[in-house]
Amino acid sequence: MSEPTMLNQLTGPTGPAVTVIGLGRMGTPIAVAFLDAGYTVTVWNRTAARAEPLVARGAVLADTVTEAVAASPLVIAPLLDHEAVRQALAPATAALRGRTLVNLANSTPERARELSAWAVGHGASYLDGAMMALPQTVATPIGFFLYSGSPDAFATYRTELEVMAPAHHFGADPGAAEIHDLAVLGVGYAALAGFLHAAAVLDSVGTPPQVLAPLAARWLHGMAEFLPELAREAGSVTYAEGVSTIDLNRAAVDGLVDLSGSRGIAADVHAPLKALLDRRAADGHGQDSFSSVFELLRARPAASAD
């Protein structure tokens, strides 16, 4: 292939080129975001008919996954899981050389590292991505994506990555994005479980969840503004000046558990927190900040065998 032809292939006729492999619930809005941003977008999907609305908007439908990978220097794979990425790209391993693969599939840290080794073994740079977004929040400030893997690839393609959502890089370890993803998800799951428990409590007195939702959202907004202070206390291990103490919160959680029991509502959501607060108080830290629960949760170095 001549040099001008290769340049045209990698930059596209109207702008820089991006390939999207997989047009599911996240792949389609990602492809739309790049089209709207003026990129030449090549798409491939096992069911080609899914690409028709994108083609109507200007996307190029590749006949094969190899053709799709060869079309762009940046290949984005928002598939179901890491095995789906490997299976989809298996016929195109030769075309991966010299390209950057961005895996946006659900994964684990270990599997992200395995997929990185596989991609690098075929001559590609690799970024693992975790999508903290819904389809409707792609290409908006509301969603954000977490990345890890090749720092050079992240620096080279940050502009493209920011088309999809604000991008945050957590270092060269390909598994780091998945670790941070699970940690952030843990915050959300705890909040959602607490909301559903509260909905069950209010349901017992005839208040529907729709009434609770705006009140809970307003409260969570205030809680979110408190997070930097909790982070400062936990990060500096300074708990004596906290405005929300262990004893204060222990009384509130005890009340939640007692109320639940009196109304036949499962208190499973709050029982673990009650146990942690009770332990902290029993250890003489009742006047420490709520953030000091961190001391019961953080990993400890393994004891020496000597």
Side-chain angles (χ1 to χ4, degrees), residues 3-289:
E3 184 174 321
T5 304
M6 175 62 79
L7 180 62
N8 183 64
Q9 182 184 33
L10 296 183
T11 61
T14 61
V18 174
T19 288
V20 179
I21 304 293
L23 301 176
R25 61 189 299 271
M26 293 300 285
T28 294
I30 284 171
V32 168
F34 280 112
L35 288 169
D36 288 346
Y39 284 75
T40 296
V41 181
T42 299
V43 297
W44 179 86
N45 194 69
R46 290 191 185 280
T47 305
R50 281 198 172 187
E52 290 175 0
L54 294 170
V55 172
R57 298 183 63 155
V60 177
L61 175 61
D63 291 331
T64 67
V65 68
T66 299
E67 179 184 318
V69 170
S72 312
L74 182 63
V75 179
I76 298 170
L79 296 169
L80 178 63
D81 55 34
H82 98 294
E83 188 56 36
V85 174
R86 286 191 62 162
Q87 290 180 3
L89 294 176
T93 52
L96 281 172
R97 181 165 298 279
R99 285 161 175 77
T100 293
L101 172 63
V102 180
N103 169 36
L104 296 179
N106 293 321
S107 191
T108 65
E110 294 76 16
R111 288 175 175 172
R113 295 179 188 118
E114 291 171 2
L115 188 57
S116 175
W118 177 84
V120 171
H122 290 293
S125 297
Y126 180 87
L127 285 170
D128 194 79
M131 300 181 287
M132 312 304 296
L134 298 171
Q136 63 269 28
T137 61
V138 169
T140 76
I142 298 173
F144 57 96
F145 287 9
L146 312 179
Y147 296 95
S148 59
S150 171
D152 288 343
F154 182 79
T156 299
Y157 292 109
R158 181 160 192 170
T159 297
E160 284 76 10
L161 299 176
E162 296 271 0
V163 167
M164 297 184 285
H168 305 270
H169 189 254
F170 289 95
D173 173 14
E178 299 299 337
I179 295 171
H180 287 77
D181 170 46
L182 292 171
V184 175
L185 285 176
V187 176
Y189 284 136
L192 292 176
F195 171 79
L196 293 175
H197 177 268
V201 169
L202 292 185
D203 179 71
S204 72
V205 295
T207 301
Q210 294 90 329
V211 172
L212 169 64
L215 298 175
R218 185 174 179 180
W219 178 245
L220 287 174
H221 180 76
M223 296 283 280
E225 293 183 344
F226 188 47
L227 290 180
E229 178 62 15
L230 288 182
R232 183 194 65 78
E233 293 172 357
S236 61
V237 197
T238 54
Y239 305 120
E241 303 299 323
V243 297
S244 184
T245 67
I246 292 291
D247 283 345
L248 179 67
N249 286 282
R250 185 169 167 240
V253 174
D254 282 347
L256 270 172
V257 172
D258 288 346
L259 176 63
S260 299
S262 70
R263 295 189 169 274
I265 298 164
D268 304 53
V269 169
H270 297 295
L273 177 57
K274 172 176 166 53
L276 290 168
L277 293 171
D278 287 346
R279 280 179 58 193
R280 196 70 182 154
D283 289 341
H285 297 286
Q287 291 305 302
D288 282 356
S289 170

